């Protein structure tokens, strides 16, 4: 979302997934000086040195500031720039990392870290599907209980895990079909039904090929060897949508996973 003061002097952006990243690139063009980084389309940056960036890690019953190493990958969650001319400050999350790691982290919801070229550089993700929730099927559907999270799903984490959610898990976590893994400071953390370590990931055109170390029941993986399975995820570049009621609708992009239909999308309730 974007908020403007009554005089239009302050801009605050909380980045969602695709839409939020687009807002970031369009709003940070008015720089205070050349020392500030113009955020790239991915919404991710890497640190140029070891530094504290508003992330906290659990130690016993408390959370302590986490020192991020040089080269650490961070997702920009919020941007603050007074008057459109002053210093650009941001807040960060870890992005979509695995469940165990994310459960030990907390994030500041206040944009206080200067987004300077001296400290950060933009990143183009090698596998842009990471953090994208891929649901089994040809699009959202409504069952007799008026829920829409009624298929299984999985996503690829930034730290090389596949996290899978069964149909019953999605009904528990995501009955309304609004599951967002990688958006904003208030990151949700959903316990997966099963997970596997990714061994190799390659991208060619619209297809992402992932090899991982063990079978996950519910994902149509091809067995390559005793400890190697593979899926090919193809973005069909086609869209779908359906109106379920006067103010309820779904919108999605179509994919295949090893030739089986999958989709990525959101439900909207006006």
């Amino acid at each position: 979302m974007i908020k403007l003061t009554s005089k239009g002097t302050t801009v605050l952006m909380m980045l969602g997934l695709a839409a939020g990243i687009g807002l970031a690139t369009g709003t940070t063009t008015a720089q205070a000086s050349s020392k500030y980084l113009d955020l790239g389309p991915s919404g991710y940056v890497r640190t140029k040195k070891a530094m504290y960036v508003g992330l906290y890690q659990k130690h016993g019953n408390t959370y302590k500031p986490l020192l991020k190493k040089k080269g650490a990958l961070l997702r920009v969650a919020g941007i603050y720039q007074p008057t459109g001319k002053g210093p650009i400050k941001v807040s960060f999350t870890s992005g979509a990392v695995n469940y165990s790691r994310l459960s030990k982290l907390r994030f500041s919801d206040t944009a206080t870290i200067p987004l300077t070229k001296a400290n950060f550089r933009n990143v183009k993700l090698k596998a842009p599907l990471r953090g994208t929730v891929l649901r089994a099927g040809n699009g959202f559907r409504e069952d007799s209980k008026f829920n829409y999270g009624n298929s299984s799903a999985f996503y690829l984490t930034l730290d090389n895990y596949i996290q899978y959610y069964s149909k019953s898990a999605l009904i528990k976590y995501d009955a309304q079909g609004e599951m967002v893994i990688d958006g904003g400071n208030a990151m949700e953390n959903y316990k997966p039904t099963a997970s596997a370590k990714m061994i190799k990931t390659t991208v060619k055109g619209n297809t992402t090929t992932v090899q991982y170390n063990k079978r996950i029941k519910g994902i149509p993986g091809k067995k390559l060897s005793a400890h190697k399975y593979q899926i090919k995820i193809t973005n069909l570049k086609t869209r779908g949508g359906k109106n379920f009621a006067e103010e309820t609708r779904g919108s999605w992009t179509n994919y295949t996973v090893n030739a089986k239909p999958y989709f990525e999308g959101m439900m909207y309730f006006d």
Side-chain angles (χ1 to χ4, degrees):
M1 64 178 177
I2 298 179
K3 292 182 179 179
L4 296 176
T5 64
S6 59
K7 294 183 180 180
T9 57
T10 302
V11 178
L12 172 64
M13 299 191 301
M14 298 307 296
L15 307 185
L17 206 52
I21 291 171
L23 291 174
T25 58
T27 307
T28 61
T29 54
Q31 303 291 335
S33 75
S34 60
K35 76 175 186 178
Y36 293 100
L37 186 67
D38 191 3
L39 185 63
S42 76
Y44 284 88
V45 299
R46 287 193 185 277
T47 57
K48 289 187 174 181
K49 63 181 180 180
M51 58 188 299
Y52 292 101
V53 292
L55 274 65
Y56 299 84
Q57 188 173 51
K58 191 172 185 179
H59 293 267
N61 295 322
T62 63
Y63 286 85
K64 298 181 180 180
L66 176 62
L67 179 66
K68 300 300 292 184
K69 297 180 180 179
K70 179 181 178 180
L73 182 66
L74 298 166
R75 191 197 193 285
V76 175
I79 297 178
Y80 174 77
Q81 184 181 23
T83 73
K85 298 179 181 179
I88 298 170
K89 296 183 179 181
V90 297
S91 59
F92 291 108
T93 71
S94 64
V97 297
N98 76 82
Y99 172 81
S100 178
R101 181 177 171 187
L102 186 57
S103 66
K104 298 178 176 65
L105 298 176
R106 292 290 184 271
F107 312 105
S108 171
D109 60 0
T110 305
T112 59
I113 310 300
L115 187 66
T116 62
K117 294 177 182 178
N119 290 334
F120 304 101
R121 62 179 176 86
N122 284 317
V123 174
K124 180 180 180 181
L125 296 179
K126 293 181 179 179
L129 272 176
R130 293 177 190 267
T132 299
V133 179
L134 294 167
R135 304 168 183 267
N138 292 298
F140 287 110
R141 57 187 177 85
E142 182 181 31
D143 70 12
S144 60
K145 297 179 181 179
F146 303 102
N147 72 69
Y148 306 90
N150 46 31
S151 64
S152 63
F154 72 92
Y155 70 94
L156 313 178
T157 72
L158 293 166
D159 52 351
N160 298 314
Y161 285 85
I162 296 179
Q163 297 200 154
Y164 167 77
Y165 300 84
S166 66
K167 176 180 176 178
S168 60
L170 277 203
I171 290 175
K172 175 183 177 180
Y173 294 135
D174 187 42
Q176 296 301 305
E178 299 175 294
M179 192 176 190
V180 176
I181 297 299
D182 196 17
N185 294 75
M187 286 189 67
E188 299 291 343
N189 193 18
Y190 306 96
K191 186 176 182 179
T193 305
S195 65
K197 182 67 174 176
M198 295 160 57
I199 302 169
K200 183 180 180 181
T201 306
T202 58
V203 180
K204 185 176 181 179
N206 298 334
T207 298
T208 300
T209 301
V210 181
Q211 294 179 0
Y212 51 101
N213 68 351
K214 65 181 181 180
R215 177 177 179 262
I216 297 179
K217 183 179 180 180
I219 294 179
K222 178 182 178 181
K223 185 176 181 179
L224 301 180
S225 65
H227 300 288
K228 186 182 293 186
Y229 292 79
Q230 179 174 284
I231 52 175
K232 290 189 176 183
I233 306 167
T234 301
N235 186 342
L236 299 180
K237 299 291 185 178
T238 60
R239 300 279 301 171
K242 184 175 180 180
N243 293 325
F244 294 92
E246 184 177 352
E247 297 180 343
T248 303
R249 68 191 190 282
S251 178
W252 59 85
T253 299
N254 297 303
Y255 288 78
T256 59
V257 178
N258 282 5
K260 301 292 185 182
Y262 275 72
F263 68 99
E264 176 272 322
M266 290 285 288
M267 287 295 301
Y268 300 92
F269 304 90
D270 296 331

